Amino acid sequence: MKFRLSPFKSAAVILGLGALLMAAPAHAQTIHIAGDKTTFYTVAKKYGVGISELVKANPKVNPLNVYPGLRLVVPVKDNPAASAKLKALSQEQPALLTASSSPKTVEAWGKTFSYEKTLQVKATAYSSAASENGKWGAVDYFGNPLKLGTIAVDPDVIPLGTKVLVTGYSHPGLPKEAFVATASDKGSAIQGKRIDIFIPGSQSFVSEFGFQDVRLYVIK
């Protein structure tokens, strides 16, 4: 079994972020939700901004790893024309998450999933840091590289291989509202109604997740 360290928010990170926010100049911006074919080029072209400006506005995003559901900050010039364009574009964004109990379906990012049941669990998050993965390295229980969509579970509660739609969390390193995950990892600290979510990024960035109550839809 792997042992996952309990994540705590870093005061230094929070203070540093606060200082950056105070020093940063005010500017207009919007959030673009990435789709299956989204790239920095397509977003820059859609909003009429430079790719270099887009990269600068998203320092923690790897331009070669833009996945569906990723939130991209789009900087724009503060003028009426830009504001009107942003308003029109924002209206194109579909509803992110809707659920129905009869029949048991949940819709996220325009895709509909049938689910068997829901589970309310306590969630933490882990990174690929060696201190969190021990001798096993940055791989899941089956030896596959850790990636967005990997979660560690208690197999007695959620069998390994189960697919779930994770909802109700908040973290900039995860898709907004919901994402599909596979129970492919486990750890000695993950017992009962607990999950540990792998988030790409530095250990301090991932630790900002803390402890959160999330809802899982066990999808078929």
Side-chain angles (χ1 to χ4, degrees):
M1 288 185 180
K2 293 183 180 180
F3 177 76
R4 306 295 187 199
L5 296 180
S6 298
F8 293 95
K9 292 183 178 180
S10 169
V13 171
I14 295 173
L15 290 174
L17 179 58
L20 286 173
L21 290 174
M22 291 176 64
H27 62 279
Q29 65 181 41
T30 190
I31 299 296
H32 179 84
I33 308 301
D36 291 330
K37 298 181 180 180
T38 299
T39 66
F40 270 37
Y41 172 76
T42 61
V43 174
K45 183 177 180 181
K46 180 174 183 177
Y47 291 91
V49 301
I51 293 180
S52 61
E53 295 174 342
L54 193 60
V55 170
K56 186 177 180 180
N58 298 273
K60 294 181 179 179
V61 176
N62 180 350
L64 300 179
N65 186 32
V66 177
Y67 48 84
L70 179 66
R71 302 178 71 197
L72 294 173
V73 175
V74 183
V76 295
K77 295 181 180 179
D78 192 8
N79 59 58
S83 298
K85 184 174 183 179
L86 288 181
K87 184 177 180 180
L89 289 171
S90 65
Q91 292 174 346
E92 297 176 5
Q93 297 294 342
L96 301 183
L97 180 68
T98 57
S100 171
S101 59
S102 182
K104 289 184 176 181
T105 59
V106 57
E107 182 176 331
W109 306 111
K111 297 181 179 180
T112 301
F113 305 91
S114 297
Y115 68 91
E116 298 177 356
K117 61 180 179 179
T118 63
L119 289 172
Q120 197 72 27
V121 300
K122 182 74 72 175
T124 51
Y126 66 107
S127 70
S128 58
S131 60
E132 296 184 73
N133 294 281
K135 64 181 181 180
W136 295 273
V139 295
D140 64 17
Y141 178 76
F142 300 100
N144 301 310
L146 297 175
K147 61 182 180 180
L148 184 68
T150 297
I151 59 172
V153 301
D154 180 345
D156 291 333
V157 177
I158 303 174
L160 290 173
T162 300
K163 288 189 177 296
V164 298
L165 186 71
V166 186
T167 70
Y169 56 83
S170 176
H171 190 279
L174 294 172
K176 187 177 180 181
E177 297 289 347
F179 70 98
V180 175
T182 302
S184 60
D185 206 359
K186 61 181 184 177
S188 59
I190 309 304
Q191 301 292 326
K193 290 186 176 181
R194 284 280 313 277
I195 65 169
D196 211 7
I197 301 171
F198 173 73
I199 300 178
S202 68
Q203 192 171 15
S204 60
F205 173 65
V206 173
S207 71
E208 294 175 18
F209 187 93
F211 290 86
Q212 299 185 33
D213 293 312
V214 304
R215 180 181 293 275
L216 306 180
Y217 290 84
V218 180
I219 57 180
K220 299 178 181 180

